[in-house]
Amino acid sequence: MISQPETVETPTIEAPSEPASVAESVPRDGLIILPVREMVLMPGTVTPVAIGRAASIAAAQQAVREERQIGVLMQREATTAEPSALDLHRTGTVANVLRYINAPDGTHHIVLQGEQRFRVTEFLKERPFFVARVQRIEEPETRTPDIQARFMNLKQQAVEALQLMPQAPRELIETVQAIEAPGMLADVLAAYIDISANDRQELLETIDLAARIDKVTKFLGERLEVLRLTHEIGQQTKASFDQRQREAVLREQMATIQRQLGEEGGRAEEVRELSEKIARAGMPAEIEEQARRELRRYERMPDAAGEAGPTRTYLDWLIELPWALPEPKPIDIAQARKILDADHFGLEKIKQRIVEYLAVRKLAPQGKAPILCFAGPPGVGKTSLGQSIARAMGRAFVRVSLGGVHDEAEIRGHRRTYIGSLPGNIIQSIRKAGARDCVMMLDEIDKMGQGAHGDPAAAMLEVLDPEQNATFRDNYLGVPFDLSRVVFIATANMLDTVPGPLRDRMEIISLAGYTDGEKLEIARRYLAPRQLEANGLKPGQVEIEDEALRRIIRDYTREAGVRSLEREIGRALRHAAVQIAEGSVEHLRIGAEDLPSIMGPPRFEDELAMRTSVPGVATGLAWTPVGGDILFIEAARSPGRGALVLTGQLGEVMRESAQAALTLVKSQAGSFGIAPEIFEKSDIHIHVPAGATPKDGPSAGVAMFTALVSLLANRTVRSDTAMTGEISLRGLVLPVGGIKEKVTAAARAGLKRVMLPARNRRDYDDIPEEARKKLEFIWLERVDDAVAAALETGPADK
């Protein structure tokens, strides 16, 4: 903390001498000033300073040449490269230059010894270096009992802090104890305790001795608390380590004594119990041999051995896994139909496929059944279908969430060499189910991602392959486990992210969104009763009218599934629960007219007529990961030179569809009554609203073509009609995907007619019956069919 040179050598300067005129320009009553950054020199301390600015080098050389003292002032802002007088503090320290060093690498250093405080009264000049007229501040010599008490307390704190520092030399403690001047002790401690430069400058400017000692005492006290805590933590750590070492030695001695006396006690009993459990586990012969080999290793290990705990955990996993196959339970097909009908409304084709699956499993229980994958938007009942299958088969159900899994070890497990290693999710779930023939739901299989620790989708290939999973090897177990009797059912929102080889191992069963009628039945049968129970209500206390449910479906939710619908029903019931809990009513009936006061104004409205009331607007159908949706294609014309502008965050394929639609309109302009010169004098702008949502795909080609013809021929598109389909430059309408979801969305939005590619007739049977009854289907072979069916006959009013 204190550094004092033993001798003061004659300063030497290796830099070239300054002209005599510069030396004579420094007044005798002036003090050469050295500006410094983030550094405060305290009186009574010796500090080396590196100087690099030309003005600082000139000031130091002049002070050495004239054997004069130098004043050290800290800059107010360290980032100022060339400070002026206004950039410097007014209080500093007069210092003696003990040594000037011109290093071989061109750097300059000086060693300064702080002597006395000063305050600048006037700056005499700033070039080539600062010179100021100063007032030297004498150190107070007051030694009142109050000052003496503060001084003794400060010295005691300083000595304690040094004693807590492991590297502090004994001589340093003796030096601090030898200081008798209170001001000198405060300045020396201020120079070496860990505080900021601004705090140190504040101490330099504190002339009053009592106040200065109090501030230093405060800073030193904070540092002392840290040192005490560090010392205490170190002592506790050492004591804990010594205690563990002592216990390990005592355990080893106790084990040795017990072995000598033939009384191995607890370990012998534990090994005997483990041996009995291994015999009852029903393991295959080679796996039982592996388990007994590990048991013999465990028996020879001392309790303090690092491998004892992991070995015991490994044995527990081997013992608790269901190796033996339970007695097969008969599958009742009629009962399975009842369970599916009770748990789910609609989904007739899905239920039929599940019944077929169960029938095959009943007739060929040893056969290799396909892996089912339910694909569809959120909230349509994919997970609950898996639970229904488990109920129908009378088997345990377990769910494995694969969303966000990006480590292969999550599927295959970690090797036992790692600390804290465990089996993968597959083996963990089988242990949780307690049965080797459980129904395992692999939820969100499309949300797995490849990471730095392998590809979990590649690990799933072995799990889902009936030819391989009979010998599935988990890295933690290190022995094969038969997964062939597990009924795997996967779910996914979209299949684009599922790798091809993994998708090839599964039979995809697509679930479309629900129609409004299906949602009403689901809300009446399942959602409302479930929310009544969740909110502590009885069926006789609150009743929701069917019209209110229809209004919630139409005006407050817009989704393929029913999750948001259930939340909104719960919201309405919570409003009723408040009134019943307060005692204001005993029975409440919620009608459609009550919804605005409970849930606010409708969130969704029918804007089809408003959107298509002008030429250039067509209604398209789109597929999204959460179901079908409608979108609007808007086209506008402005004076220009034939440019095509596309907005709405369109993908590359969709932009190409717009260019193809415009080219096709140009090539057939005459047949639609469009003047050819209109393309040369106009810019065409195509916009798809909801610009914050990315859009892509070729299926908007027909809608874009219809919007352009509507705009340029000044004929409006029918407001009750939506369309989808890809177009070619020959005018053909090509098939697209997602027909079921798109048509369901059209029915949900209140449309009356849909125009679909003629080659998509094969998808007609997949469309829900309710949607087919609501809509008129127009099948398109060419774009001429779309124009004839979609556009109004006469020109629009201008």
Side-chain angles (χ1 to χ4, degrees), residues 632-647:
F632 300 96
I633 310 295
E634 299 178 349
R637 179 170 62 91
S638 60
R641 298 182 179 179
L644 175 62
V645 181
L646 303 173
T647 57

Side-chain angles (χ1 to χ4, degrees), residues 66-322:
E66 294 186 6
E67 298 184 358
R68 297 182 60 166
Q69 293 180 318
I70 195 169
V72 181
L73 287 179
M74 187 177 75
Q75 295 178 196
R76 297 184 187 277
E77 294 293 337
T79 56
T80 305
E82 296 294 336
S84 63
L86 295 176
D87 297 322
L88 303 178
H89 287 279
R90 289 298 183 268
T91 302
T93 303
V94 177
N96 297 317
V97 182
L98 300 182
R99 180 178 298 179
Y100 185 106
I101 304 168
N102 192 357
D105 59 357
T107 58
H108 298 260
H109 304 267
I110 55 176
V111 180
L112 300 178
Q113 181 184 35
E115 183 179 286
Q116 188 180 15
R117 287 174 172 79
F118 73 87
R119 185 178 294 109
V120 175
T121 58
E122 178 185 6
F123 278 94
L124 300 179
K125 66 173 190 173
E126 296 186 15
R127 293 290 182 273
F129 46 78
F130 289 93
V131 177
R133 186 174 287 114
V134 302
Q135 175 190 358
R136 295 178 180 248
I137 302 172
E138 296 295 331
E139 182 68 22
E141 293 294 333
T142 308
R143 297 297 291 267
T144 63
D146 182 55
I147 295 294
Q148 191 66 20
R150 284 181 165 88
F151 168 66
M152 296 301 295
N153 178 58
L154 180 60
K155 181 182 289 190
Q156 181 181 354
Q157 279 190 337
V159 171
E160 183 181 356
L162 289 171
Q163 289 174 342
L164 290 174
M165 293 181 181
Q167 291 85 15
R170 180 66 187 173
E171 295 78 12
L172 187 57
I173 300 176
E174 293 173 355
T175 303
V176 171
Q177 289 176 329
I179 297 176
E180 294 299 328
M184 181 179 179
L185 179 62
D187 289 343
V188 169
L189 293 176
Y192 294 105
I193 58 178
D194 186 16
I195 59 176
S196 67
N198 289 330
D199 290 337
R200 199 168 283 119
Q201 177 68 28
E202 180 184 350
L203 291 172
L204 183 67
E205 294 175 358
T206 305
I207 309 302
D208 182 72
L209 191 55
R212 195 192 320 162
I213 293 176
D214 287 344
K215 290 180 180 179
V216 175
T217 302
K218 175 178 173 293
F219 289 131
L220 186 59
E222 294 173 353
R223 179 61 178 163
L224 190 56
E225 279 299 318
V226 175
L227 290 172
R228 286 170 180 162
L229 273 174
T230 304
H231 181 72
E232 182 180 346
I233 291 171
Q235 291 295 105
Q236 290 176 352
T237 304
K238 182 176 182 301
S240 175
F241 179 80
D242 291 344
Q243 179 66 18
R244 287 200 299 270
Q245 200 172 31
R246 178 173 174 271
E247 290 175 356
V249 172
L250 290 175
R251 283 198 192 96
E252 185 63 29
Q253 291 175 347
M254 184 182 299
T256 302
I257 294 172
Q258 288 176 342
R259 283 195 296 271
Q260 293 291 332
L261 296 174
E263 300 173 356
E264 298 193 21
R267 173 59 67 86
E269 181 66 22
E270 180 183 8
V271 169
R272 186 184 61 78
E273 291 179 359
L274 289 173
S275 179
E276 292 176 357
K277 289 180 179 179
I278 291 173
R280 293 195 302 266
M283 304 177 188
E286 66 275 12
I287 299 174
E288 182 173 349
E289 177 58 29
Q290 166 77 4
R292 294 198 176 278
R293 189 162 52 246
E294 289 292 324
L295 180 61
R296 288 192 292 271
R297 287 184 63 241
Y298 179 66
E299 184 179 9
R300 294 191 298 269
M301 289 179 187
D303 288 338
E307 291 186 32
T311 302
R312 173 59 197 263
T313 304
Y314 176 70
L315 288 170
D316 288 340
W317 273 101
L318 288 180
I319 290 169
E320 294 177 13
L321 282 175

